[in-house]
Amino acid sequence: MAAPGPGPAPPRLALALALLAVLVAIKYYRDAEAARQQELALKSLGNEGLFLFSSLDTNKDLYLSPEEFKPIAEKLTGVAPVSESEEEETPDPDGETLSIVAKFQPLLMETMTKSKDGFLGISHVALSGLRNWTAPAAPMSVLLARQFKAFLPPKDNLDLGDPWWIIPSELNIFTGYLSNNRFYPPPPKGKEVIIHKLLSMFHPRPFVRTRFAPQGAVACIQASSSFYYSVAFRIHAEFQLNEPPNFPFWFSPGQFTGYIVLSKDSSHVRDFRLFVPNNRSLNVDMEWLYGASENSNMEVDIGYLPQMELESTGPSVPTVIHDENGNVLDSRDPSGEPIQFVFEEITWQHEIPWQEAAHRLEVAMYPFKKISYLPFTEAFERAQAEKKLVHSILLWGSGRTLRETVLESSPILALLNESFISSWSLVKELEELQSNRENEFYSKLAKLHLEKYNFPVEMIICLPNGTVIHHINANYFLDITSMKPEDVESSIFSFSTNFEDPSTATYLQFLKEGLHRAKPYLQP
């Protein structure tokens, strides 16, 4: 008797296969329809028109909602409607107000790398937004003291220096970055509103969330008394300097930092200051597109901004003073002169130094800074005293990829902390140090580093006397860590099976090789 053949597929399996086929068909149809719509849009608008349309179409559905069209409406009408987040605040007509002044000195064009060849090959239009930004958009602004409650800690029992996020970062190395093809910031929400208002004093198009991680704003308590906090903060934000028909130009200061002294109920602000640090030779990254596409060529440069600062003119003051019966005792002068007050001096019961608070905020943004990265010359002085090697990062720009990946991994942090003194330097800083003949030793240290440097980032291990014993370029490092282990030729950068992450394994091997090569020199 013949063996029975396979029976019919179970009903559930057949149903599942049919459903899968339908889903595949739907996806195919949607992809084809999206491609067709994209082609029609390109024919209708052309490359540059589609580029502008795409910069407004945030959800990429090829339709502009009223919310997406709002930046153009505001531009055409000159009227900016109040956002929902601002409407939630019911202003107290008798509440205190704070006057803030903006101080701004434009970027020094001669500090840009492209200035060395007279900006050869760069169109005047590309830099028009930068060249025309010579003064703050609003030299002075009056804000309600209550609006600064966004800077208050989320709970009362935070220790001094414990960071919290005012605006949490939503990006990391795995999520990628936000689109470059944008001109107008999204409407601010919640605690973003006050930061957007403040940054708008400098320029009308601030983005309170940067395109790259780490983004957002972080704060910590620097000092506290019975009724007041002094809160230190750090903000990562950027500006879009161009508008259509020009292509986007992104202006990204290294950071905004500052402090605010406010009452614990946010009814009174005693002092406020926000600024871009200007203590290094370069403090701004710039990127601009050269075409009507997200994949268009992008130019990058760095430069020095002498001053970008907001400062309160004095403590916040009420517009009206009432007695216990509700009668008006005093009010703001019709000419705008504030009510005159004498404020009590704040006696801080607990406080930490500003430098410590700033470091805590930096570590919150950049976990790799859990170990100290000393200034160049100080690193060599410390290395000589502790008889350790110098682990030096020499870079042209921000070193974004390196700092967000391998340098913050636990094994790397542990080895660096145990066996190295670390430093983080800009090429421009070492070029200046090399040319300074007042200290020949420091000049020699800079020269030895620069001889090994290749664009964009060079990781260097050297002896306390400056002798380079090992180095690797960031581009080569990224290339070999993206290869299969069997394809890596050099045993110096071989992979270890102790770590799953090839970047961590390779950088560990780089550091250990440096220690091995240094043994003859560091023997007691």
Side-chain angles (χ1 to χ4, degrees):
M1 184 174 179
R12 288 185 179 178
L13 179 58
L15 181 60
L17 291 173
L19 181 60
L20 179 62
V22 170
L23 291 175
V24 170
I26 291 174
K27 184 180 185 307
Y28 176 80
Y29 170 78
R30 286 179 175 174
D31 290 347
E33 182 65 16
R36 188 181 71 84
Q37 292 285 355
Q38 188 82 8
E39 186 177 347
L40 289 174
L42 181 61
K43 287 182 179 179
S44 177
L45 300 173
N47 276 325
E48 295 189 4
L50 183 58
F51 179 73
L52 173 58
F53 184 92
S54 299
S55 72
L56 300 170
D57 183 22
T58 56
N59 61 1
K60 306 304 177 188
D61 64 352
L62 287 175
Y63 292 94
L64 291 186
S65 67
E67 187 67 26
E68 291 171 329
F69 184 72
K70 188 162 71 170
I72 294 296
E74 292 175 7
K75 186 70 179 175
L76 294 175
T77 63
V79 177
V82 178
S83 68
E84 291 180 7
S85 50
E86 292 179 80
E87 289 174 349
E88 292 172 4
E89 288 290 330
T90 304
D92 178 3
D94 300 333
E96 296 190 7
T97 58
L98 185 72
S99 297
I100 294 179
V101 294
K103 303 173 184 178
F104 178 81
Q105 296 180 46
L107 184 116
L108 301 180
M109 301 295 290
E110 63 270 21
T111 62
M112 294 176 66
T113 306
K114 304 295 188 296
S115 71
K116 294 179 180 178
D117 57 9
F119 297 100
L120 184 67
I122 300 176
S123 70
H124 185 78
V125 172
L127 301 180
S128 60
L130 177 63
R131 293 184 186 278
N132 294 334
W133 189 17
T134 58
M140 187 169 190
S141 183
V142 178
L143 300 171
L144 295 171
R146 291 280 188 191
Q147 291 179 290
F148 290 85
K149 72 178 183 180
F151 289 93
L152 284 175
K155 53 185 179 180
D156 293 331
N157 59 349
L158 276 179
D159 291 333
L160 297 183
D162 283 356
W164 74 87
W165 290 93
I166 301 173
I167 301 175
S169 179
E170 296 178 347
L171 298 178
N172 55 49
I173 192 66
F174 303 107
T175 58
Y177 57 88
L178 301 179
S179 172
N180 296 311
N181 176 18
R182 293 178 296 160
F183 291 100
Y184 303 105
K189 299 177 182 178
K191 294 179 180 180
E192 297 174 353
V193 173
I194 182 61
I195 293 176
H196 185 272
K197 279 180 177 290
L198 292 167
L199 297 182
S200 293
M201 293 181 65
F202 295 122
H203 193 278
R205 291 183 296 282
F207 283 72
V208 297
R209 292 183 184 273
T210 52
R211 292 161 296 147
F212 301 96
Q215 58 174 197
V218 67
C220 71
I221 300 172
Q222 183 195 349
S224 67
S225 72
S226 299
F227 301 103
Y228 289 93
Y229 287 124
S230 178
V231 175
F233 57 83
R234 177 173 177 143
I235 301 167
H236 286 192
E238 57 190 348
F239 300 90
Q240 177 51 243
L241 303 193
N242 282 353
E243 287 190 281
N246 297 334
F247 299 127
F249 186 108
W250 294 93
F251 187 92
S252 309
Q255 61 163 303
F256 294 88
T257 190
Y259 62 87
I260 181 170
V261 178
L262 74 169
S263 62
K264 293 184 177 181
D265 65 357
S266 76
S267 63
H268 176 66
V269 176
R270 180 60 61 90
D271 195 12
F272 176 81
R273 184 175 180 232
L274 175 152
F275 61 98
V276 173
N278 60 2
N279 58 320
R280 302 198 72 164
S281 58
L282 299 166
N283 57 1
V284 177
D285 287 337
M286 290 161 282
E287 298 175 316
W288 60 97
L289 292 177
Y290 267 126
S293 164
E294 184 70 32
N295 299 320
S296 297
N297 290 336
M298 174 173 278
E299 195 77 65
V300 298
D301 210 332
I302 46 183
Y304 179 72
L305 184 72
Q307 186 179 38
M308 181 180 274
E309 181 178 354
L310 299 178
E311 191 170 24
S312 57
T313 59
S316 63
V317 293
T319 54
V320 178
I321 300 179
H322 297 92
D323 64 15
E324 57 187 14
N325 298 318
N327 300 313
V328 175
L329 293 179
D330 197 359
S331 62
R332 181 186 290 269
D333 188 275
S335 65
E337 288 297 319
I339 300 172
Q340 297 301 310
F341 272 96
V342 176
F343 294 93
E344 82 283 2
E345 185 176 344
I346 299 174
T347 301
W348 298 114
Q349 296 164 337
H350 309 281
E351 61 182 312
I352 59 175
W354 164 260
Q355 291 82 357
E356 181 179 345
H359 178 67
R360 297 281 192 95
L361 300 180
E362 184 176 40
V363 171
M365 286 285 193
Y366 299 112
F368 82 92
K369 288 292 184 79
K370 289 176 183 176
I371 64 165
S372 297
Y373 280 79
L374 302 178
F376 185 76
T377 56
E378 186 180 335
F380 283 91
E381 292 170 0
R382 180 82 63 85
Q384 286 182 335
E386 299 185 14
K387 293 182 171 53
K388 289 184 176 181
L389 296 179
V390 174
H391 163 249
S392 182
I393 307 293
L394 181 57
L395 66 165
W396 177 83
S398 63
R400 185 181 296 134
T401 302
L402 192 64
R403 71 191 184 201
E404 292 170 13
T405 52
V406 64
L407 289 181
E408 64 179 45
S409 67
S410 297
I412 300 300
L413 289 171
L415 184 56
L416 288 176
N417 185 57
E418 178 185 356
S419 303
F420 294 86
I421 302 298
S422 293
S423 179
W424 185 278
S425 308
L426 294 172
V427 170
K428 182 177 176 60
E429 293 172 339
L430 294 201
E431 288 175 341
E432 293 173 353
L433 187 62
Q434 181 184 12
S435 62
N436 184 356
R437 297 302 177 183
E438 294 181 5
N439 190 311
E440 290 294 335
F441 177 63
Y442 291 160
S443 177
K444 176 188 172 185
L445 291 179
K447 180 176 181 292
L448 291 172
H449 260 57
L450 291 169
E451 286 175 349
K452 301 298 183 182
Y453 174 77
N454 283 294
F455 183 85
V457 182
E458 196 77 23
M459 293 86 86
I460 300 172
I461 297 174
C462 51
L463 301 175
N465 66 5
T467 301
V468 175
I469 57 175
H470 203 12
H471 65 101
I472 180 175
N473 184 264
N475 284 343
Y476 177 63
F477 172 79
L478 294 173
D479 286 343
I480 63 173
T481 53
S482 63
M483 296 168 62
K484 295 179 181 179
E486 59 268 23
D487 294 334
V488 180
E489 296 178 3
S490 173
S491 60
I492 292 177
F493 302 114
S494 61
F495 294 98
S496 166
T497 57
N498 295 331
F499 300 98
E500 295 182 2
D501 176 24
S503 297
T504 298
T506 305
Y507 208 82
L508 269 179
Q509 198 68 22
F510 165 66
L511 295 176
K512 289 178 179 179
E513 177 64 21
L515 289 169
H516 175 73
R517 294 184 184 185
K519 277 184 179 179
Y521 304 97
L522 297 180
Q523 294 295 338

